[in-house]
Every structure is written in C-alpha cells, then in structure tokens.
Amino acid sequence: MVHSAGAYKTLVDYPVQDPSSEDYVPILVYKTRAHIAHGDPKTAIALIPSDTENLALKSVSALAKYISGADADAALEELRDLCVEIEGDDAEATDREKGWIRVVAGTAFVRAGEVEEALETLGAETNTENLEACVLPPSACSI
C-alpha cells in the first residue's frame, strides 16, 4: 500500500504547531496528508479547524472527506471549486499553497477515476514546476 510508511509515521507523530507559527500550515498540510496515507482520514479531518480560511487546509479536509466516503461527491466538488478559486490573481493562497491544492485535488480525481481532470489540474502539458505533481499520477492510487 504505502511504500514509505516510515516517513508518514514520522509526520503522524510530529506535534501540531501553534496556529500563530509560520510553520503551522505547511506542517498541518503534510501531517494530515500522512494521516490520510495511513488510512486515517477521520483524524486528518479532526486536526483541521472547521472554520479555517486557508485554502490548502480546506483542500486537505476535502480529500480526507472524499477518502473517508463522507459525501464523496460534495468533497470532489469542493476540490473543483478550490482549483477554480486559485486560478485568479486575487486568490488568497501562496504559490506553494496553490501547488498543494492542485496535488491534493489531483489525488482525489485520480482515485475517482477522473485521470484527465487530474492531469489537467496538475498542469500536464504546461510549464508547471511542481515536482510533487510530477510523481503523483502513478502513485496516487497507493495513498
């Protein structure tokens, strides 16, 4: 199932940072994705504040909901909406966060059998330089 379970376990065990820390969002994104990879999407959902305004955290929450089977169609639609939202110049997300959103959405789309949508989301045939997106399609089914 997961080829590098040790790395995921380290992230699962890593403490959640104080929300005022500049490392809070990146660590929480990777920590919650590690929980999802370990087959524990419910913990991922619980770790993300329900009132978060951060688009990257919203995307991981939607992926966790999709993986858990809790209203999968609504979760995919939320991911589609987030992908549209980050395309504008006024999107409230850094380039790094936009990359995470694309990878998270692409993961869900591949798992849903929407490979073309996943590749389009990940920037196939564009000048996107997101290395994580480059390795996603073959590995997405293993998370």
Side-chain angles (χ1 to χ4, degrees), residues 11-42:
L11 283 167
V12 164
D13 294 339
Y14 198 83
V16 175
Q17 302 296 299
D18 182 274
S20 63
S21 166
E22 69 181 45
D23 294 332
Y24 174 73
V25 170
I27 289 172
L28 193 54
V29 165
Y30 286 114
K31 181 176 181 68
T32 52
R33 287 175 60 195
H35 276 284
I36 294 168
H38 262 262
D40 188 11
K42 291 183 194 274

Side-chain angles (χ1 to χ4, degrees), residues 79-99:
L79 288 165
R80 288 183 184 103
D81 290 346
L82 288 168
C83 288
V84 169
E85 190 171 342
I86 64 170
E87 291 307 314
D89 291 334
D90 59 345
E92 293 189 26
T94 65
D95 286 343
R96 184 179 185 191
E97 290 171 336
K98 289 177 182 181

Side-chain angles (χ1 to χ4, degrees), residues 62-143:
L63 174 63
K65 290 173 186 170
Y66 174 77
I67 299 294
S68 72
D71 205 356
D73 290 338
L76 289 175
E77 196 56 40
E78 182 177 0
L79 288 165
R80 288 183 184 103
D81 290 346
L82 288 168
C83 288
V84 169
E85 190 171 342
I86 64 170
E87 291 307 314
D89 291 334
D90 59 345
E92 293 189 26
T94 65
D95 286 343
R96 184 179 185 191
E97 290 171 336
K98 289 177 182 181
W100 291 333
I101 293 164
R102 287 183 186 100
V103 168
V104 166
T107 300
F109 298 153
V110 166
R111 290 183 63 117
E114 302 291 338
V115 176
E116 283 185 38
E117 184 172 13
L119 292 172
E120 182 179 312
T121 299
L122 294 170
E125 298 181 20
T126 69
N127 62 356
T128 299
E129 294 182 13
N130 185 336
L131 294 179
E132 193 172 2
C134 293
V135 298
L136 175 69
S139 64
C141 296
S142 68
I143 341 187

